[in-house]
Each structure stands twice: as C-alpha cells, then as structure tokens.
C-alpha cells in the first residue's frame, strides 16, 4: 500500500502539487489529468527526483522520503519516464544487462525478462528499434531484480492504437507475476480504464476525484476538468 | 550469459585483436625506421597516449572535462621518484603501481566534491589544481636521489638520478618497456570501458535521471572513471621518469594540461586512434615542425624563432572547431571515411573490416619497416590520399560505378605518391593538399546546387498543387 | 595589507566580469585573462615602440578586449549555445590558447613593466604608503559591482539578460534580440577584462602567462559567489587577495601564496556539495 499524505511541491511561486493525499493499493491504479496537472510531478516525488516541501510518502509503513532516488530504485521502486531512456549507444542486451547489474539481478534473469516482455534479437543497437520495442525494453529494464512499485509515465504515448492495446495485458501480467503496486499515468482514458481498477484524477495539482472507473468517469468535476479537454484534442 | 559472450565476441573482441595486431606491428616497425632522436621523442609520445586516452574517456563517455591530467602526471612522477629512492629493492613496475594508486587518491579527492556539484565546477576546480600543482612543482622541485622528503641535493652535494631498470637502458629497450606498460594501461581502460562500469557510464551519458532509475549511483560511477583514469595517468607520470631518473617542473605546467585537452579533442576523444594522434600532436609535432622549418629559412625568417608558440593558436582553433563541427576529431573523420567507403561501395573493401584495417593499419607499418624510409613515406601517403579521395569523388560523380571511382582515387593517390618520390616532399604535400581541397570544394558546390535544385523542385511542386 | 586589498579588488573585478557574462549568456569565459593579456601587450607595444601616449595605449587595449570579446561572443559562442555549460566554457579555452600562443610568439613570456601615472601619485595614511592605483582598484570594484547589480536588477537590458541565461530559445521567441544582448554582455565583460588586465599588469607582473592565469583567482572569487552573486564574488576576491598578502611575510609559505585561490575554491566547493541536486532535464 503506497500512501501519500498532504504532498505539496512548490516550483518558485507555482504549486506543482497542492496537498495531495492518495493511497494506491496493490494492483494497477491509474493517475490521469490534463496536461500540466502534476502527474509527472507526482511520480517525481514518489521516485525521489523532486523533494516535496511538505507531506509524507510511505509504503507499508516504510518512509520512502528518507531514501535517495538510487536507493529507492534498488529497494524496488521503479519508474519509466515520459521520454524513454534506453541507452542509444548500447545494444538491447546491454541495456537489459546494465539494469540487471545495478538492480541486483543476474544475467540469466535478464534473459528471462527479455522473454517476458517479448524482446527478440537482443544484439541490435537501440536506435534500430521500433517505438514499441523501445517501450518494451524500457519496461523490461524497470522490472529487474526485485521490483515492488512500478510507476509508468505515459508508457504508450506515441504508439499507434493497436500496439498500445497489447500493452495493457502485458502490464497486468507483470503486475501479477511480481505482485506489484503499479501507478499508470496516461491521458488516454480508454487505455487507463482498460488496465486499471482504480483511477485518481489530478487537476492543477489537486486531487479532484478518486475511486473505481465507473464512479470517476461519471464524476461531473472530472468531466469538466478533464474529459472536456480530451474530447477536443 | 550466452548473449554476453556473443556480444563480446562480435564487437569488442574483433576491435581488440585488430588494435593489438596493428599496434604490435607499428611497435616493431618504428625502432627500425627512425633514428635515436625520433625514437626518444616517439617513446615520450607513447607515454602521453595513455594520458590522452584517459582524458578522452572521461570526456567522450561521461562528458567530464578534466583539466589537470598533466598535473596528475607530475604527481605520479614525483611520488614514483621518491618511492624509488626509499624502496630501491622493490621492482620499478610495482613502484609505478604504487605511484598510480597515490595519484588515484589525489585525483579522486580533487574531483569528488565538484563532481557532486556540476561538470562546470569540476572543469574549473581541475584547472585550478593544474595551476596549483605548477606552483608547487616549481617551488619544491622534483626529488632526485637524495635524502629528505623533498629529496633535493644539499648545498655541495650533486644530484643523483634514480637508476633506470636494466631493461630500459638502450633506446630500443626503453621503447619496448614503454610500449608494453602503456599497452597494459590501455587494456585496463578497455576492460573498464567494455565491462559493467562502461555500461553504467553509457547510461549516465544518455541521461542521469534514466541511469538513477535503474539503480546506478551517478556520483560513484563518475568517481570510478576518475579513479581509473587518475591511476593510469599517475603510472604514465612515473613512466616519464624512468628513462632519466629525474623530472623537470617545466613539463607539468598548467597550460600543458589545457593543451592536452585540446589535442585530445582534435585527435578524437572517442577512440584509441584519436589518443595516439593526440600523443603525437602533443609531443612530436612541435619538434617535427621545428625540424621542418629549420630547413626552410624563408619561413623561419618570416615567423621568427618562437614560431612553435603559433601551434597553440592552431590547437586553440582546432579545439573550438572540434567542439562545434567534429566531435569525434580526426580519428572520427578517418573512421568515417572507412565506414562510408564500406557502406557506399562494396569494393575494394569488401568483404570485411579486415581488409580495411589491413590497408589502413597494417600496410603503413609494414612498408615503414621493410622499405627504404623515403619510399615508405610515399607509399603511406598514397594510401591515405586514395582513401580520402574515394568518398568525395563518389559524390562528385554519383553515376559512375564504385569500382571506377575507387580506381580513380587509387590512381590519383599513387600518382601523388610517385610525384613525391620523384620531386620531393613539398611537391607531394602541395599536390595532395591541392587535390583534396579542390575535390572537396567542388563537392560542396555541387551539394549546394543539388540542395537548391531540390528546393526549387519542391516549391514548383507546391505551386503546381496550388 | 593594502596591497592585498588592491590585489583582491582586482580579482574581484575580474570575477564580476566573469559572473556578469555567465549570468547573461551562460558562458564561463576561461579566456578572460588571456584576451586581456594579449590586448594589454598590443597597447604596451604601441606605447613603447610607436610612441603613442600611454592613455591612448590603454584606451586601445580596452577597445581591443571589447572587440575580441564581442567577436567571439557573436561569431563563435552562438554555435555552442545549445550545448552544456562545460562545453561552452571549454570552447573559450580554445580562445585562451590562441591568445596565449600569439602573445608568446610575438612578445615571448618575458615580464615587462607598465607604469601608470596613478602609480606615481602616492600618499601616506597612518604611516602606510598607498598609491592611487590601489585606491582606484578598490573604488572601481565597488562602483562596478553596484552598477552591475543595478543593471541586472532594474533595467530592461538586465531583465532580458537574466531571461536569456535561463532559456535562450524561449527568450528569442519572446522577441528579445538575443544576439544584441549577448554582444552587450560580452562587450561589458570585455571592458572589465581590459581594465583589470591593465591595472593588474601595473600592480604586479606584466607577462602573458601570468595575466592568462589571472582567471584562476577570478574563478575562485566567482565560485565563492556561486557564479551568481556579484557581492559574493567581490567578497571572495578580496578574501583571496588578503589571504595572499597575509601569507607573504611568512617566509616558509611565501612561495605558496598563489595557492590561496585553489584552497579557497576547494573549500567552497566542498561546502556547496553537501547536498546533491538532480538535473531533471534528460541531457540531449
Ligand atoms: N522542474 C520544474 N520547474 C518548474 N515548474 C515545473 C517543473 N516541473 C513541472 N513544473 C510545472 O508543474 C506543473 C505540473 O507539471 P507536470 O507534472 O509535468 O504535468 P503533467 O501532468 O502533464 O505530467 C506544470 O505547470 C509544470 O510547468
Ligand atoms: Mg507529464
């Protein structure tokens, strides 16, 4: 159980997050909201790249804020970024290997994970990969060793509809295999509702709705803040 | 595990074998081809190759600008001289390693705080350390074989240089001693670069947040790089002290650290060939130019006796040029020629890299060793010129067959080589310059015209659509 | 003591020039001393062998530093503007090498004497002889720091400069003429480089190598101000100058007094490096 209490993040005068309190249960939860709502900032706080000016973040009673980002990653809090971060100068295999080496896993496990996410031809350099393969590689890199929490920042952005649809079952499978707490950020509502049981909605750094898909989708505040925007685009 | 092995075999190992083979051939050929003066000079250049490789590794793999490597070399040399006096029963190889370790400690101590801040502060702090070390070296001097912690001769005493190992007495022996030690140091760098740490460095270079998110300690990875490089640099400093058993503080000025950085970028920070070029530029270019200009009184009269200072100007401009336009330096440009050749036309470099490597890396040392020196120089020149010409010629005549182009390139190269043999080096140099420059000029003009035509076509297309 | 104060003031003056440029353009100019040295040598040469009056020579020196700086800032620096700060700083090392090469080629690294008319104007306060060059140095740095603070804080140019350093592309989209402002910053920092080179040449030693490494104490001063604060830089520069002059009478340490900048810079870096910050923008 990943617990955030009254998290406040200030960027100068701007409040990136304005007192957000949230609990993510084991399983896949969605975090949605229009552009600039503070979703990425939330993930940055959880993974330690941004220190909140006040608030608490705990996982099953363990204070996460006391660890630095590398420490959190090694402990099992993993994340992806909006821009995927695979290393262009290495091959697919070396990319998996470098993650395995630093997250306390063996090369044999890295090979299993390559199979799990469905990567083949591991000696290709990363620049030759398709967008889908890059996203798969990044996902594979985050689940080396012993993952506990997985934060995915728009994992299917830039993928065509058909490909992004096959991502949801994969995430579900991974979540079950490692019994993870997954936080899935996206603004594609279809994708999120397909994959998640619970959804949290942010707007201007505030939590405006939280609950199961049906209740959140029918929430008038959400409709006003978020769905209106998404339908336009 | 299997994947790892496959990787290692396919990429790293072939590069290593070619490198070792070519390096070995060069190492054997050079003592046969040059006289004692130049052999000493080239020996020193080889020592600086390790330092250049370290600077290049830090910059190309981690974006770290370290401006104190020559100063660290001095530190290594200083410690080596002192230790060899105190521990005169210990083999000098071991003392070198100790000096390297001590240098490593100092290099890390300087770099650690600023590494945590930013790359800019590391550059600034290392530059300051270079200036600091220059002051310290000039005021306390380098130890000779005397007592006391500074080891300087007391008034009335004469200085006793540390005896060099028996193996390194003759110039040729020294050459092989240095070549072997540097090869070990370069292998050390190579092991780090292709191993676990190298992968972590690549991840950091790509993106620090990305690296952190897969559990990499950014600072300690960078410190590891700094430590390895400081170690090899310290050992090279010790190596510098081996031939004469003494060092002078002028070799370790602050500005020379800056110059070394410049030549590394000019030579090419990404590759060993670049490091070799950097070592040559740093050590052998000024005396080579001096020897050359001494033969042409007109130039000497024009530029005056202090003209070697003008090399700094060239290095400065070269540094800026490499930063802006050619991040892989001369070595990268050369490798680029090879890659383009292999991509654009299969002949004459098909079927594999081996042929290319053979032509570029093996034929020149072989001819240097086997042929008369003056003839060999022109053979080498002919090969290089042909290689340089093929690509520009090909863009000039895109319709010609690759084979024909390559033949033309080789013909022109041989012609220039022959011209040089018959009419002397200056004619050769001038002809080569003229041909390469004019072909490149024509090519650029052609490229510009093609772009213009493209644009015109495109705008016509738009008009047609409208 | 007074000499240390004056020396420190000159370090501070150079440091202010560095910080000003860095804040406006994001370039840490490591060629700061070298350009000043070369131009001062040209001015000196004109004065000595062409018989130009000294004042004119100094004026030409300053004009030349401004020209050289602006040329680099307009022609070369923009080509690297999208790169990291350390690459941009490294680029200026190329300029430094080139300047030093020319200076050593034409003038060699021999030390020369540059006597300013203010040197002769000496007076005694409380038993200490002070030359008016020293007074000038101290006054100058105070005035310059005050004016520069005002410039950055209040004027439109200053606001634009600060915006520019924060985000070059965004600022140009806002309709600010990036080139013009950068040229201005380079020019202003060039004036300071010229003035401090001339004053330093007359107060201490006039040789190309020495003046080139003037950039070291200036950098240390700038680091004390974290490359941001002008008054921090002034304080840092004066501290370094004083430290150097306090070490001078201690004969065991006298020869090491030029290491003061390094020691202070290391101390400051260690102090600032206690906490690690993360650069969230993935590097290009
Ligand atoms: N490092 C930063 N500095 C200043 N403002 C920031 C920073 N990171 C994010 N912000 C601001 O915080 C707000 C939330 O951003 P973000 O979390 O990236 O939104 P999104 O929901 O689209 O991921 C935005 O207004 C953004 O401009
Ligand atoms: Mg976002």
């Amino acid at each position: 159980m990943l617990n955030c209490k009254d998290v406040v993040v200030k960027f100068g005068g701007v409040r990136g997050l304005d007192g957000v309190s949230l609990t993510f249960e084991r399983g896949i939860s969605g975090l949605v909201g229009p552009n600039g709502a503070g979703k990425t900032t939330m993930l940055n706080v959880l993974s330690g790249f941004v220190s909140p000016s006040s608030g608490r973040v705990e996982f099953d009673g363990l204070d996460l804020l006391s660890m630095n980002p590398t420490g959190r990653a090694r402990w099992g809090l993993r994340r992806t970024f909006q821009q995927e971060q695979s290393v262009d100068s290495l091959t697919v295999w070396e990319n998996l290997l470098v993650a395995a080496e630093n997250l306390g896993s063996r090369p044999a496990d890295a090979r299993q994970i390559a199979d799990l996410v469905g990567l083949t031809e591991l000696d290709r350099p990363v620049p030759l990969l398709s967008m889908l393969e890059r996203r798969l590689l990044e996902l594979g890199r985050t689940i080396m060793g012993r993952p506990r929490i997985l934060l995915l920042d728009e994992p299917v952005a830039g993928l065509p509809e058909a490909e992004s649809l096959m991502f949801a079952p994969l995430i579900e499978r991974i979540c079950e295999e490692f019994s993870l707490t997954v936080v899935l950020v996206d603004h594609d509502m279809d994708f999120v509702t397909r994959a998640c049981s619970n959804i949290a909605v942010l707007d201007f750094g505030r939590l405006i709705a939280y609950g199961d898909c049906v209740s959140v989708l029918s929430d008038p505040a959400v409709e006003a803040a978020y769905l209106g925007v998404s339908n336009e685009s | 595990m299997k994947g790892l092995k496959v990787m290692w075999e396919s990429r790293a190992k072939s590069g290593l074998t070619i490198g070792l083979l070519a390096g070995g051939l060069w190492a054997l050929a050079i003592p046969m081809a040059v006289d004692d003066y130049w052999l000493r000079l080239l020996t020193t250049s080889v020592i600086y190759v390790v330092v250049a490789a370290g600077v290049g590794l830090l910059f190309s793999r981690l974006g770290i600008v370290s401006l104190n490597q020559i100063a660290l070399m001095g530190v290594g040399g200083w410690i080596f001289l002192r230790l060899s006096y105190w521990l005169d029963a210990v083999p000098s190889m071991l003392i070198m390693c100790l000096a390297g370790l001590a240098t490593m400690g100092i290099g890390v101590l300087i770099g650690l705080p600023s590494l945590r801040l930013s790359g800019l502060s590391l550059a600034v702090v290392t530059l300051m350390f270079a200036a600091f070390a220059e002051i310290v070296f000039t005021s306390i001097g380098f130890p000779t074989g005397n007592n006391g912690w500074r080891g300087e001769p007391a008034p009335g005493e004469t200085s006793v240089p540390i005896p060099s190992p028996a193996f390194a007495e003759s110039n040729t022996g020294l050459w092989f001693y240095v070549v072997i030690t540097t090869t070990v140091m370069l292998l050390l760098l190579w092991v780090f670069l292709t191993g676990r740490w190298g992968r972590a460095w690549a991840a950091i270079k790509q993106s620090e947040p990305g690296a952190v998110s897969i559990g990499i300690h950014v600072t300690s990875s960078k410190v590891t790089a700094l430590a390895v490089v400081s170690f090899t640099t310290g050992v090279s400093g010790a190596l510098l002290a081996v031939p004469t058993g003494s060092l002078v503080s002028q070799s370790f000025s602050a500005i020379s650290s800056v110059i070394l950085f410049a030549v590394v970028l000019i030579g090419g920070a990404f590759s060993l060939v670049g490091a070799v070029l950097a070592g040559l530029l740093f050590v052998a270019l000024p005396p080579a130019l001096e020897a050359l200009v001494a033969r042409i009184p007109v130039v000497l009269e024009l530029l005056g006796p202090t003209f070697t200072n003008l090399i700094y100007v060239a290095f400065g401009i070269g540094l800026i040029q490499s930063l802006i336009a050619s991040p892989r330096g001369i070595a990268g440009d050369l490798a680029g020629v090879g890659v383009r050749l292999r991509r654009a036309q299969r002949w004459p470099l098909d079927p594999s890299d081996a042929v290319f490597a053979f032509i570029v890396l093996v034929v020149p040392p072989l001819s240097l060793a086997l042929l008369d020196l003056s003839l060999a120089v022109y053979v080498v020149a002919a090969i290089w010129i042909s290689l340089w010409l093929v690509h520009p010629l090909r863009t000039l005549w895109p319709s010609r067959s690759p084979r024909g182009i390559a033949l033309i390139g080789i013909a022109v190269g041989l012609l220039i080589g022959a011209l040089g043999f018959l009419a002397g080096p200056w004619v050769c140099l001038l002809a080569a310059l003229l041909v390469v420059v004019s072909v490149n000029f024509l090519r650029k003009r052609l490229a510009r015209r093609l772009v213009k035509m493209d644009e015109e076509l495109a705008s016509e297309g738009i008009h047609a659509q409208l | 003591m007074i000499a240390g104060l004056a020396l420190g003031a000159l370090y501070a003056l150079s440091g202010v020039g560095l910080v000003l440029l860095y804040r406006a353009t994001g370039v840490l100019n490591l060629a700061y001393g070298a350009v000043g040295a070369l131009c001062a040598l040209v001015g000196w040469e004109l004065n000595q062998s062409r018989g130009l009056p000294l004042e004119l020579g100094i004026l030409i020196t300053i004009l030349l530093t401004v020209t050289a700086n602006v040329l680099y800032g307009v022609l070369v620096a923009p080509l690297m503007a999208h790169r990291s700060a350390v690459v941009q700083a490294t680029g200026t090392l190329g300029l430094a090498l080139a300047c030093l090469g020319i200076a050593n080629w034409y003038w060699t690294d021999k030390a020369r004497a540059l006597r300013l008319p203010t040197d002769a104007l000496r007076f005694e306060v409380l038993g200490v002889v002070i030359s008016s060059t020293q007074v000038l140095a101290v006054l100058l740095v105070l005035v310059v720091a005050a004016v520069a603070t005002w410039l950055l804080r209040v004027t439109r140019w200053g606001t634009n400069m600060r915006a520019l350093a924060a985000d070059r592309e965004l600022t140009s989209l806002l309709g600010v003429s990036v080139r013009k402002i950068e040229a201005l910053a380079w020019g202003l920092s060039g004036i300071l480089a010229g003035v401090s080179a001339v004053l330093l040449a007359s107060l201490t030693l006039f040789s190309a190598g020495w003046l080139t490494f003037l950039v070291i104490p200036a950098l240390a001063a700038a680091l004390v101000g974290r490359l941001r604060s002008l008054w921090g830089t002034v304080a840092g520069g004066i501290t370094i100058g004083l430290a150097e002059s306090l070490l001078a009478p201690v004969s065991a340490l006298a020869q090491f007094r030029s290491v003061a900048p390094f020691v202070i810079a290391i101390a400051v870096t260690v102090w600032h490096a206690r906490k690690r910050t993360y650069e969230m923008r993935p590097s290009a």
Side-chain angles (χ1 to χ4, degrees):
Chain A
M1 203 166 67
L2 180 60
N3 218 333
C4 313
K5 251 222 180 101
D6 299 321
V7 174
V8 178
V9 172
K10 290 180 192 157
F11 297 117
V14 183
R15 283 186 173 227
L17 288 178
D18 196 0
V20 176
S21 299
L22 251 176
T23 303
F24 296 110
E25 302 288 345
R26 197 146 306 203
I28 309 178
S29 314
L31 182 62
V32 297
N35 259 333
K39 308 182 293 289
T40 301
T41 308
M42 188 71 204
L43 293 200
N44 283 343
V45 168
L46 293 176
S47 54
F49 289 97
V50 167
S51 308
S53 30
S54 67
R56 282 210 317 270
V57 180
E58 285 170 356
F59 182 77
D60 291 343
L62 175 76
D63 179 20
L64 288 181
L65 293 182
S66 65
M67 287 190 269
N68 69 14
T70 309
R72 282 185 225 194
R74 294 191 167 182
W75 168 80
L77 193 156
R78 308 292 165 69
R79 71 168 293 179
T80 64
F81 294 82
Q82 228 162 320
Q83 272 179 317
E84 51 89 31
Q85 305 278 323
S86 314
V87 185
D88 287 338
S89 55
L90 300 178
T91 61
V92 177
W93 170 246
E94 286 170 319
N95 262 288
L96 292 169
L97 195 61
V98 67
E101 284 163 342
N102 289 286
L103 293 171
S105 146
R106 287 167 305 145
D109 302 335
R111 181 159 288 278
Q112 273 179 7
I113 280 176
D115 292 339
L116 178 68
V117 295
L119 282 168
T120 50
E121 294 180 60
L122 299 185
D123 55 355
R124 278 175 301 166
V126 167
L128 297 186
L129 298 187
S130 71
M131 199 60 203
L132 176 67
E133 286 170 316
R134 281 167 167 260
R135 293 287 183 187
L136 289 176
L137 173 59
E138 181 156 54
L139 193 62
R141 274 159 44 108
T142 56
I143 53 175
M144 294 289 169
R146 191 176 169 346
R148 297 166 206 257
I149 304 171
L150 190 55
L151 313 171
L152 301 171
D153 200 348
E154 313 207 0
V156 295
L159 290 183
E161 184 78 26
E163 290 181 349
S164 71
L165 284 187
M166 65 157 278
F167 231 85
L170 178 62
I171 294 174
E172 267 165 33
R173 221 171 69 232
I174 289 173
C175 177
E176 251 161 57
E177 179 131 335
F178 298 95
S179 69
L180 294 175
T181 305
V182 179
V183 178
L184 182 65
V185 166
D186 215 302
H187 49 231
D188 180 355
M189 206 49 147
D190 281 345
F191 178 65
V192 175
T193 47
R194 193 176 300 263
C196 307
S197 42
N198 281 328
I199 298 181
V201 186
L202 285 179
D203 195 21
F204 292 112
R206 285 174 181 281
L207 184 70
I208 56 170
Y210 184 45
D212 60 78
C213 292
V214 184
S215 67
V216 164
L217 281 180
S218 55
D219 193 315
V222 175
E223 212 147 310
Y226 178 74
L227 296 177
V229 178
S230 123
N231 286 345
E232 271 170 35
S233 59
Chain B
M1 230 33 237
K2 203 173 134 220
L4 176 65
K5 230 171 130 192
V6 169
M7 277 308 310
W8 193 75
E9 276 165 7
S10 64
R11 227 179 25 175
K13 204 173 163 186
S14 70
L16 182 69
T17 358
I18 290 182
L20 280 179
L21 189 76
L25 275 169
W26 276 103
L28 288 175
I30 281 175
M32 291 188 239
V34 302
D35 64 16
D36 270 1
Y37 171 73
W38 286 102
L39 190 58
R40 286 300 281 265
L41 216 57
L42 287 176
T43 310
T44 315
S45 312
V46 170
I47 296 175
Y48 279 90
V49 168
V50 178
V51 188
V55 173
L57 186 152
L58 289 178
F59 182 71
S60 64
R61 307 300 158 141
L62 283 164
I64 292 178
V65 174
S66 171
L67 297 171
N68 64 359
Q69 294 301 319
I70 298 286
L72 285 180
M73 231 180 147
V75 171
W78 202 97
I79 295 170
F80 172 75
L81 285 177
R82 208 67 290 247
L83 286 182
S84 359
Y85 175 73
W86 286 329
L87 314 171
D88 56 358
V90 181
S92 66
M93 277 287 180
L94 199 64
I95 300 184
M96 262 186 218
C97 288
L98 289 179
L101 286 176
T103 314
M104 179 170 102
I106 292 178
V108 168
L109 271 184
I110 301 160
L112 190 56
S114 45
L115 261 184
R116 288 167 63 97
L117 275 186
S118 70
L120 187 61
S121 47
L122 184 84
V124 169
V125 167
T126 50
L127 182 66
M128 285 180 182
F129 178 74
F132 165 84
E134 179 178 346
I135 297 164
V136 174
F137 288 147
T138 33
S139 46
I140 70 174
F142 279 89
T144 50
N146 299 77
N147 264 320
W149 71 273
R150 277 161 61 174
E152 59 169 12
E157 257 184 309
T158 48
S159 72
V160 197
I162 311 284
S164 49
F167 186 51
E169 290 282 88
S170 75
N171 277 331
T172 318
L174 182 67
W175 163 260
F176 286 112
Y177 185 81
V178 164
V179 164
I180 290 169
T181 320
T182 34
T183 310
V184 173
M185 289 302 117
L186 291 174
L187 278 176
L188 180 70
L189 291 181
W190 184 86
V191 164
F192 269 86
L193 204 54
T194 50
R196 171 180 179 163
W197 289 107
R199 285 187 284 274
W201 296 338
I204 292 172
K205 176 97 196 263
Q206 178 83 28
S207 139
E208 286 194 17
V212 166
S213 75
I214 52 169
I216 294 175
H217 276 297
V218 173
T219 308
S220 51
S221 300
K222 286 184 178 174
V223 166
T224 307
L226 214 55
V228 178
V229 168
S230 304
F231 175 79
T232 53
T233 302
V235 172
S236 329
L239 208 50
L240 209 55
V242 165
T244 58
S246 61
L247 289 171
V248 287
S249 53
Q250 284 90 317
S251 327
F252 306 103
S253 63
I255 199 73
S256 55
S257 289
V258 176
I259 292 172
L260 183 79
F261 191 83
V263 293
V264 167
L265 281 196
I266 294 170
F270 280 81
S271 70
L272 185 59
V273 178
V276 172
L277 286 174
L280 287 174
L281 285 175
F282 187 78
V283 178
L285 182 67
L289 271 188
E290 244 165 26
L292 196 72
V293 169
R295 291 208 213 144
I296 339 165
V298 191
V299 181
L300 191 61
E301 218 165 277
L302 194 71
L303 297 179
T306 49
F307 74 92
T308 40
N309 281 304
L310 288 177
I311 299 174
Y312 291 5
V313 181
F315 285 166
I317 294 170
L319 170 63
I320 295 174
Q321 194 263 346
S322 322
L323 281 175
I324 292 171
S326 123
R328 285 171 179 269
I330 300 175
D333 292 347
L334 290 178
V337 172
V339 169
R340 281 186 309 227
L341 271 173
R342 271 174 287 141
R343 287 231 181 99
Q345 61 239 32
R346 307 305 304 173
W347 196 87
L349 295 163
D350 203 45
S352 69
D353 303 354
V355 181
F356 175 72
F358 182 74
I359 293 180
V360 178
L361 298 173
V362 178
V363 173
L366 272 186
S367 48
L368 271 179
L370 300 179
L371 301 175
D372 172 50
L373 181 62
S374 50
L375 184 60
V377 167
Y378 298 115
V379 171
V380 176
I383 289 171
W384 284 108
I385 291 166
S386 324
L387 283 175
W388 273 104
L389 275 181
V390 175
H391 178 70
L393 280 177
R394 190 173 149 70
T395 42
L396 210 53
W397 290 303
S399 50
R400 267 291 146 92
S401 84
R403 187 181 295 238
I405 299 276
L407 276 179
I408 295 176
I410 289 173
V412 175
L414 285 178
L415 200 70
I416 294 175
L419 200 66
F421 189 61
L422 296 176
W426 284 105
V427 181
C428 176
L429 203 67
L430 268 182
L433 261 178
L434 205 70
V435 170
V436 172
V437 167
S438 55
V439 165
N440 269 306
F441 177 72
L442 280 177
R443 187 176 68 120
K444 290 245 166 70
R445 282 210 15 207
L446 190 77
R448 226 171 292 145
R449 233 180 43 225
L450 285 178
V451 169
K452 237 194 203 148
M453 267 164 57
D454 264 5
E455 278 168 3
E456 275 163 18
L457 281 179
S459 64
E460 269 170 25
I462 290 169
H463 285 306
Q465 274 179 16
L466 290 177
Chain C
M1 191 68 189
I2 298 291
L5 197 63
L7 195 64
L10 288 179
Y11 294 161
L13 192 63
S14 315
V16 167
L18 283 176
V19 171
L20 199 64
L21 185 68
Y22 182 70
R23 278 182 66 175
T25 65
V27 182
L28 189 64
N29 184 9
L30 300 177
Y32 194 84
V35 171
L38 181 61
C39 299
L41 280 169
V42 174
W44 178 86
E45 180 81 17
L46 289 176
N47 172 25
Q48 294 286 310
S49 55
R50 300 291 146 88
L52 241 54
L54 186 61
E55 290 75 15
L56 206 56
I58 292 170
L59 194 66
I60 287 177
T61 299
I62 292 169
L63 280 180
L64 279 176
T65 47
V66 171
T67 321
N69 257 359
V70 170
L71 280 181
Y72 183 88
V74 169
L75 296 180
V76 183
L79 298 176
M80 285 181 265
H82 59 286
R83 308 280 292 277
S84 69
V86 59
V87 168
Q88 298 188 43
T90 312
T92 61
L93 276 180
L95 179 63
L97 274 182
C99 287
L100 188 64
I102 296 174
N104 279 345
W105 165 62
Y106 197 86
W107 287 277
T108 71
D109 200 23
K110 208 174 61 193
R112 280 148 229 278
L114 180 73
R115 289 278 151 264
L116 297 181
T118 46
D119 287 348
L121 222 69
R122 286 163 181 280
F123 41 89
E124 232 184 270
V125 182
L126 302 172
V128 188
V129 181
I130 306 173
S131 86
S132 42
T133 314
Q134 291 171 333
V135 179
L136 187 68
V138 176
L139 285 183
L140 205 59
V141 66
L142 295 178
V143 171
V144 164
V147 168
T149 312
W150 171 79
L151 193 80
L152 281 177
R153 272 239 186 102
V154 182
T155 62
R156 192 167 56 87
W157 286 96
T159 318
N160 288 346
M161 275 185 194
R162 285 184 296 158
L164 192 60
D167 193 328
R168 195 169 190 269
E169 260 167 55
L170 205 62
T171 315
S172 75
L173 284 180
L174 291 174
V176 176
S177 165
V178 169
R179 293 240 161 169
K180 228 186 266 175
I181 294 179
E182 283 186 340
L184 180 76
W186 279 95
L188 285 178
S189 135
I191 295 178
L192 294 183
V195 170
S196 31
V198 168
L199 287 177
L200 207 72
S202 111
L203 278 181
T204 60
L205 195 68
F206 185 21
S207 87
W210 165 253
L211 288 183
T212 297
F213 282 96
L214 154 70
V215 80
I216 298 281
L219 277 173
L223 280 187
V224 173
R226 300 205 80 167
L227 298 178
R228 294 199 47 77
S229 150
L230 291 175
W231 291 106
T233 306
V234 171
I238 289 177
T239 316
I240 293 167
L242 286 179
E244 285 191 14
S245 77
L246 288 181
L247 285 181
V250 190
S251 59
L253 293 175
Q255 52 187 346
F256 295 116
R257 67 200 147 102
S258 318
V259 306
F262 173 72
V263 175
I264 289 176
I266 281 277
V268 168
T269 323
V270 170
W271 174 250
H272 287 324
R274 283 160 307 155
K275 192 155 166 284
R276 195 176 185 337
T277 52
Y278 283 90
E279 178 76 38
M280 270 310 292
R281 255 176 265 163
S283 64

